[in-house]
Structure formats: C-alpha cells, structure tokens
Amino acid sequence: MSSELDPGEGTRTWLTERALLLGVASPEHARRTARGLRALLDESHEVIPALRSVLIEADHPLDPDLEDRIGAMVLGEELDESLEHAIEIVLDGEDLAEVEAVTSLDGAAIATQLESTTFEVGTMGFAPGFGYLLGELGRLGELGRRATPRARVPAGSLATAAGQLAIYPQASPGGWWLLGRSPAPLFDPWRDRPALLAGGDRVRFSVVSDAPAAPIFLPPTAARIPGVLKVRATPPGVLVVDDARRGYGEVGVGPSGPFDPEQAGDLRGLLGSAPGVLEVSAAGLELEVRRPCTVAGVRLDLELDGRPLPEGRPVHLSSGILSVRTVRGPRGYLGLAGGPKVPEVLGSMATSMLSGLGPGFLAAGDELGAELPGPLRARMDVAPRPTELRVMRGPHVGVLDDDGARIDGLRLRIEEPSNRVGLRLRPLGDSLARRAGDVTSVPVVTGAIQLPPDGNPVILGPDRATLGGYPLIAAVIGADLGRLGRLGVDDEVTLRVVSLDEARRLA
C-alpha cells in the first residue's frame, strides 16, 4: 500500500546529518538497493530497507558526498533463496469483533481470506523478527492504523493495518488491529538465522481452533560472570548500556544504546574507557562491593554504607554497600572502572525495553564483572537539563495542515507513558492538526518525531522500533540526542528547526 506522502522513487531526504532516507519503487528494489549500499559502505553504517525506502544511518555525520556516490552505485542482485512458511493462526483477537463490524466480514470470511492468500514478506523491521506481509486482504485491507497505539501488544499477536499483515514476535507497543495469535517462533537470537522470516519469503496461514502460546527467547543470566559488584536490590528497569547494537537493523533489531549518549559517554571516558555503564531511572539500587573497585556516578546521589559520595568523580571502594538514594532527573548513570561486564546478546550488553532482547534487566543476585581499566580522569561535568531540542523537518511534514510551519517554536510537555522506547508529547495549546491518511512504514532513527492521528507527537528513544508507520514530521539532530535523554515526564521543551548545514556544524 502506498501513500502520496511516501518518499517518491529516486528522492533523497536527510532526516539528520547522520541519516539519509532514499525513496525506491518497491520492496524488491529496496532489498536490492540495500545490498548495493552494503557493498559501497563500511561497517560503521547501518542500512535498513523498508517497503518503499531505504535508510543509511551512522553514529557520526555521513559523508556530504554520499549522494554522489549513491548515484554511481550498482544495485545488488535479488537473491533466489526465499523460503515458504506454513504458519498456524487462531482468530480470537481483542479487536476481532470491531473489525467484523467495520468491514462487514464475519469470522468465517476473514478465515477464508487469510487461508486463501499467499503472502510475501515485503520487508523486516519494527521489532526483532517482525515481518510486513503483503497480499490480497480484501475488506481487511481498508483498515488504517488505530488512532492511538497500544502501550503493549501481546507476543504472538496477529494484526493488520494499512493493507499489511504481521505477527508480533515479542510484546511491544503497536497501533494495528488485533485479529488473533500464532505460536510461530519468529525470532531467537541463538539461532544461526535469528529471524524466521526474511524479505522475499512467502507465508501461508492455516486457521486452527487453539494453539500454544508463542515461544519467547530467554536471556542469559547476568550471574554467569563472577563480579566485583553483586546486586542486593534493584528498582525495575536498571540495565547495562554500551555502544548501540548495530548490524541487525534489517531483521528489526534496534540500537538500544544509552538514552543520554553524551553523559554516558563522558562517564565511560572518566573511568578509563569503560565498556559500559548502568542506566538507572529510580532510586533503590543496592550493590555489595565484593572486590576493590572504582566507581563514579552522574545525576545520582550515591552512598557507601550511608555516607554520601561525590558526583562525577572516581571513588575507590574496597568493601561495603553502594546505594543509589536519589535519581536527579529521568535517569542517571553509574559507572565501574573496567566494567560493568555482563553477557552479550548479538554483540551488545544492552537490553531493549521494546523487545526484551539482551541479557536482561538487573535482578537481585546478579553480578557485575570488570576487566583491567585504562587511565582514569579526575572529574566530569554534569550537563544541564534542556529547554530546547534542535530538529530537522521530516519527510512527512506535509501531513500537517500548515505544512510544518508550527514545528519551529512548538512547545511540548512530556507525558506518561514515556520510557526508553519513546517520549509521548502533548503540544502546549491545540494538538497538531493533520490531514487524514496513512503512510507506508519507513525506517526511523532515535530522535525521530512521529505523529499519530490523535495529533500528539512521540519522540523515539534508543529502544525504538526500526520501522515506523506514523508520519515522521521531524527528527532531533545528533548534537541534541544527549539533551533528549535528559528529558522526563512533565518537562517542557521547545523545538527549533535547523538546516542540514547547521546540524553538521553543531555535530
């Protein structure tokens, strides 16, 4: 399904100085373009194909001459190794009755439609193992996305929207209509081919009366690595963050790096290029010091056996209980010289709040290991809370009634539910007026600002999906991703539009 708002074939849109979106003609063209780009670019670039677009993204500003290099690129060949999958489904979804009423189809007609169609995997994305299935859907194909996405769609849910069908491999947010469920094992990071589906594969469904729950992959326990710190107690959601996970965007695996890369990176440098840090969003973390070590924190009030420790300075500990008494802001970071080390999953110690992929959030009994650190620094600065975010206008800015004029200077308040997946925003004043209609899902970046039909934007965080189907009206530039990570619920922020040249200069 295409939309007049989609990037046109041959267009090149800079989302930020770190991300370039290419418009293509079809899913096959997207896959071939992605193969050509991977041959052209080095491993510091992530290449993510969608249905009618391809994203090039990096953790650094892209080469300004990249568009010229793309113009001379040779497309990759379409690989003749697609598979056909037979998948069982149960039609008992939460939205089934409403779908029947809206489409005038009964359950038997919906079952016949799904069983009689061979679907093609147009592209992979959104979440690990999530395949966008294309095929004849009849009246089901007339359903757009829901006005407000659900905060949680159960794992294994069979859903449809905007002329597409999909099965959610893991529990995650989602704005599609839930028709039923499937037990298919769509993603397992321990398989040689982690995702069951791949672009170009075919899928046939058979409707059954009942089926077991969808299997989930289990993370390794962090206790497998003997540590210098042992977790005695922890609030929910404490996790290790390191460099963003890269190289798996094509199968829907997002980056899951630190929400505030600026402060997390400074803390790692303070502690001798530590491999990662702990991201903490609530008080109550207690760690037993089992071996001599050096720690430091930022935006945290730390205590050792009840005695306060200085912020932003390395402190050597020989024993005792290290506690986080206060988190000043939405999140803070705790670093360990040479650590913390926990098992890696797909090349990273980070755990995604969207998909659960990773070694898992900290739990009592876990141990944090460490290796020999590099030279330590004396101190680091604590960055201020932001009041502005600098952005570039996005490819779907035309969905707004004013064609995006209001974005520059737009004042927003952050509201619940907000987390590492994304920050929900409400304009101070009227909601953003947007034209009706859907867009074809495009690759997205951390800091992308999407606009659901309710007119209240969402800014995507590091645990975001890899593809998004709501209009992308703007994106936070690389220089302000640290500012984004220091925003929390009830904070107010103003958007300022900058040019590509200004974003490059600020980077």
Side-chain angles (χ1 to χ4, degrees):
M1 181 177 180
S2 62
S3 162
E4 63 181 14
L5 292 171
D6 291 344
E9 180 182 359
T11 60
R12 297 164 188 174
T13 304
W14 288 88
L15 303 184
T16 73
E17 80 286 359
R18 302 176 174 205
L20 177 61
L21 187 69
L22 311 178
V24 298
S26 66
E28 177 185 348
H29 192 191
R31 294 192 292 269
R32 293 183 61 199
T33 299
R35 292 190 181 100
L37 289 169
R38 292 191 187 99
L40 179 71
L41 303 171
D42 61 35
E43 293 182 354
S44 69
H45 298 78
E46 183 87 87
V47 178
I48 303 177
L51 296 171
R52 288 179 175 81
S53 55
V54 180
L55 179 74
I56 307 168
E57 183 191 12
D59 286 333
H60 53 78
L62 297 176
D63 185 347
D65 296 330
L66 181 57
E67 291 190 69
D68 293 335
R69 296 169 63 195
I70 292 171
M73 179 187 72
V74 177
L75 292 182
E77 294 297 322
E78 178 73 343
L79 300 182
D80 187 22
E81 55 182 36
S82 60
L83 304 176
E84 182 163 308
H85 308 269
I87 294 179
E88 292 184 342
I89 56 175
V90 182
L91 295 179
D92 60 358
E94 183 178 341
D95 297 329
L96 186 60
E98 189 175 356
V99 168
E100 290 176 340
V102 170
T103 63
S104 300
L105 297 171
D106 60 19
I110 293 174
T112 298
Q113 182 69 58
L114 297 182
E115 286 188 316
S116 63
T117 302
T118 298
F119 293 90
E120 178 181 334
V121 181
T123 193
M124 301 294 293
F126 176 68
F130 188 103
Y132 289 75
L133 307 182
L134 308 178
E136 179 55 49
L137 284 171
R139 295 290 302 277
L140 292 175
E142 299 173 8
L143 294 168
R145 292 174 175 83
R146 297 182 66 89
T148 302
R150 283 184 171 89
R152 186 181 187 277
V153 173
S157 293
L158 173 72
T160 187
Q164 301 157 109
L165 200 68
I167 300 171
Y168 284 73
Q170 310 90 25
S172 67
W176 292 23
W177 300 84
L178 306 186
L179 303 178
R181 55 191 171 88
S182 173
L186 294 176
F187 189 84
D188 186 337
W190 312 118
R191 293 191 304 229
D192 290 340
R193 174 173 154 156
L196 176 67
L197 307 178
D201 283 1
R202 298 173 303 282
V203 174
R204 292 191 62 87
F205 290 114
S206 60
V207 178
V208 297
S209 59
D210 197 13
I216 58 173
F217 54 82
L218 297 176
T221 172
R224 290 181 183 174
I225 294 183
V228 298
L229 297 174
K230 184 173 182 177
V231 180
R232 288 174 35 123
T234 178
V238 178
L239 72 159
V240 178
V241 289
D242 53 9
D243 295 328
R245 185 178 278 115
R246 295 292 183 186
Y248 297 94
E250 188 175 15
V251 294
V253 177
S256 297
F259 210 145
D260 183 346
E262 183 180 345
Q263 294 278 263
D266 285 351
L267 185 58
R268 291 172 65 182
L270 178 76
L271 293 170
S273 299
V277 291
L278 293 180
E279 187 170 287
V280 185
S281 55
L285 179 63
E286 294 185 359
L287 304 169
E288 176 188 350
V289 180
R290 307 191 72 187
R291 287 193 290 155
C293 60
T294 301
V295 302
V298 61
R299 296 196 173 279
L300 303 175
D301 291 329
L302 296 175
E303 293 181 354
L304 180 69
D305 295 333
R307 300 189 305 275
L309 299 181
E311 181 181 20
R313 296 174 183 267
V315 180
H316 185 73
L317 310 178
S318 56
S319 62
I321 303 300
L322 177 65
S323 304
V324 175
R325 292 305 178 203
T326 308
V327 180
R328 287 179 284 101
R331 59 194 56 84
Y333 294 92
L334 175 61
L336 168 67
K341 294 289 289 182
V342 297
E344 293 185 353
V345 177
L346 296 183
S348 174
M349 297 186 291
T351 296
S352 169
M353 188 171 287
L354 174 72
S355 65
L357 179 67
F361 300 102
L362 287 197
D366 287 349
E367 297 189 11
L368 304 175
E371 56 194 18
L372 187 65
L376 309 185
R377 298 208 314 264
R379 57 162 295 165
M380 63 174 284
D381 294 327
V382 180
R385 298 285 289 277
T387 58
E388 289 189 348
L389 286 177
R390 290 165 291 192
V391 303
M392 289 175 55
R393 288 189 173 91
H396 301 137
V397 73
V399 76
L400 296 169
D401 282 352
D402 62 2
D403 291 323
R406 188 179 166 196
I407 292 177
D408 192 24
L410 179 64
R411 296 179 63 227
L412 301 156
R413 177 181 291 113
I414 298 169
E415 298 191 334
E416 293 284 13
S418 290
N419 52 37
R420 285 175 50 87
V421 177
L423 303 180
R424 292 179 181 262
L425 309 171
R426 185 173 295 278
L428 297 180
D430 297 332
S431 297
L432 291 176
R434 53 161 287 183
R435 300 180 175 96
D438 289 303
V439 300
T440 303
S441 294
V442 298
V444 293
V445 296
T446 300
I449 304 178
Q450 293 183 309
L451 186 64
D454 62 10
N456 296 313
V458 177
I459 302 185
L460 302 183
D463 287 353
R464 57 173 170 78
T466 58
L467 303 185
Y470 291 116
L472 201 170
I473 59 172
V476 178
I477 65 172
D480 280 9
L481 291 178
R483 292 185 181 188
L484 176 63
R486 293 190 287 277
L487 290 172
V489 173
D490 292 331
D491 284 346
E492 296 182 5
V493 67
T494 300
L495 303 185
R496 295 298 180 195
V497 174
V498 299
S499 66
L500 174 60
D501 286 344
E502 182 73 355
R504 286 172 172 157
R505 186 188 67 79
L506 291 166

